[in-house]
Amino acid sequence: MLSKNQEAKYRKLIAAAKKASDLAYRPYSNYPVGAAVLTFDGKIYTGCNIENYGFTQTIHAEQTAMAKALSEGGLKRALDAGLTQLDFIEAIAVHAPKGTDPWPCCNCRQSLNEFGLSMKVVGEGKNGSIKCKTLGELIPHAFPMEVVLAAVHGKNWKEQMRRNAGSHSQKKDVKQKRAAERVAPDKRMQLIEAAKQAAELAYCPYSHYPVGAAVLTFDGKIYSGCNIENCGYTQTIHAEQTAMAKAVSEGALQRAFDKGLTQFDFIKSIAVYSPKLTEPWPSCNGRQSLNEFGLSMDVIGLNSKGQIVSKKLKELIPFAFPMESVLKSVREPNNRKARLQQEAKRLP
Ligand code: THU
Ligand code: ZN
């Protein structure tokens, strides 16, 4: 049973998830989902699903919300307060207008598992009552993250990680923020600075390879993100995906549509930064995620000499898998008989 306090808190969280589902980008499934994360310090971060015509690069609503919470500094605040990553998220609400129960898919359960099995998963049941379970209840016999983390960091991995995070992200912040303000005249440098700052928040305990990205939208707004690793590895979210997911779930794509623009005009450029990179070109997975929003965007960053380098996404994906044909096929009738007839005609 929930207390009155909890009930009020979760209703607010569920309402945020509901609102976020309106912003879902779901041209293939037409199945909108919204999610809202409540952090340890009472802040709410929302997210929606963002599909991709390559399907496997689709980002789920829960991942968007979690990525936003982390890349906006939620985890860093928890570590600074002496907590661990396992206390960073208090609860997550999930809402799918076409669904029934609020329980996330297994892939999302694994994404969330990185931040502790004690978080609450909440949502509205059919009759308007609140459903609530701990993540642990949704993942019986969970794959043990502590074992994977201890293999990298040793037995006192919690303490070790807190120390790493501290040395990696503290102190420099203020100075960097001021630098970013100073370089405002050059929007490109400002974008790269935003990516640099985002890299400071990266959650990368397995690779120790922080990456930051920052998206510049058609209306001059900047959304930044970092990589967020996962003990299952394949659920890792790349910095480019975090930044793009933030832009979509904060309504930038909707704003472009409202202005009569298409999804291909929504992102002007994206900056990528890693202290360990000598060239800023994203992985193929990152490129494919961005491709959903047009090949004409600029990908920018610094080379090893500190100079700005830039390429069109088109140059980074020559002979791209054609999204138009996938989008077109959704609208075509899936008529088996007609297809068989057509195929028969093609036979010698
Ligand atoms: N989806 C989510 O956003 N979260 C889940 O946990 C279940 C599935 C999205 C992905 C896809 O865009 C659509 O719902 C249909 O699978
Ligand atoms: Zn999911």
Side-chain angles (χ1 to χ4, degrees), residues 50-60 63 241 244 284-290 292 321:
I50 303 168
E51 296 186 344
N52 184 283
Y53 72 100
F55 290 8
T56 58
Q57 293 84 3
T58 291
I59 303 169
H60 289 201
Q63 294 177 313
Q241 295 176 317
M244 182 269 278
C284 283
N285 204 41
R287 294 178 198 194
Q288 177 64 30
S289 301
L290 293 168
E292 192 72 28
F321 172 52

Side-chain angles (χ1 to χ4, degrees), residues 59-289:
I59 303 169
H60 289 201
E62 298 86 335
Q63 294 177 313
T64 304
M66 183 269 278
K68 232 149 91 179
L70 188 140
S71 67
E72 292 286 306
L75 175 60
K76 182 178 180 299
R77 292 199 305 274
L79 297 175
D80 289 350
L83 301 171
T84 73
Q85 76 200 75
L86 306 177
D87 315 300
F88 143 57
I89 296 179
E90 182 185 327
I92 180 164
V94 182
H95 181 79
K98 297 185 180 177
T100 46
D101 286 341
W103 316 131
C105 80
C106 277
N107 206 42
C108 286
R109 293 180 198 194
Q110 178 64 34
S111 300
L112 294 169
N113 177 26
E114 195 71 26
F115 303 109
L117 287 167
S118 65
M119 74 175 75
K120 301 278 199 305
V121 182
V122 302
E124 221 164 55
K126 250 193 170 156
N127 54 2
S129 66
I130 291 184
K131 294 209 166 186
C132 176
K133 286 192 194 296
T134 64
L135 186 60
E137 287 177 273
L138 298 176
I139 321 181
H141 313 291
F143 173 55
M145 177 183 59
E146 320 76 69
V147 179
V148 186
L149 274 169
V152 196
H153 299 276
K155 258 213 308 262
N156 59 344
W157 61 269
K158 276 189 204 171
E159 189 42 44
Q160 199 64 38
M161 282 178 63
R162 202 161 28 221
R163 231 178 289 138
N164 285 349
S167 68
H168 181 64
S169 59
Q170 281 169 8
K171 289 177 200 111
K172 276 179 282 175
D173 279 10
V174 181
K175 240 186 9 214
Q176 281 204 349
K177 231 171 232 147
R178 290 215 190 98
E181 278 157 19
R182 248 186 291 135
V183 291
D186 184 346
K187 199 83 186 174
R188 290 206 302 176
M189 205 53 214
Q190 199 185 342
L191 197 65
I192 294 168
E193 275 299 330
K196 204 169 173 177
Q197 275 177 35
E200 297 267 320
L201 295 170
Y203 173 78
C204 49
Y206 306 105
S207 72
H208 295 283
Y209 197 96
V211 185
V215 156
L216 177 69
T217 55
F218 75 100
D219 51 356
K221 294 218 158 40
I222 289 177
Y223 299 89
S224 63
C226 56
N227 52 330
I228 302 169
E229 296 186 344
N230 184 283
C231 70
Y233 291 7
T234 59
Q235 292 82 4
T236 291
I237 303 169
H238 291 208
E240 300 86 354
Q241 295 176 317
T242 304
M244 182 269 278
K246 234 146 93 177
V248 173
S249 67
E250 290 289 301
L253 177 60
Q254 190 57 51
R255 290 201 302 277
F257 286 148
D258 291 347
K259 277 243 151 72
L261 300 173
T262 73
Q263 78 204 71
F264 305 116
D265 315 301
F266 136 66
I267 296 179
K268 268 172 56 181
S269 43
I270 178 160
V272 181
Y273 179 87
S274 170
K276 301 186 183 183
L277 273 181
T278 52
E279 300 247 299
W281 318 129
S283 73
C284 283
N285 204 41
R287 294 178 198 194
Q288 177 64 30
S289 301

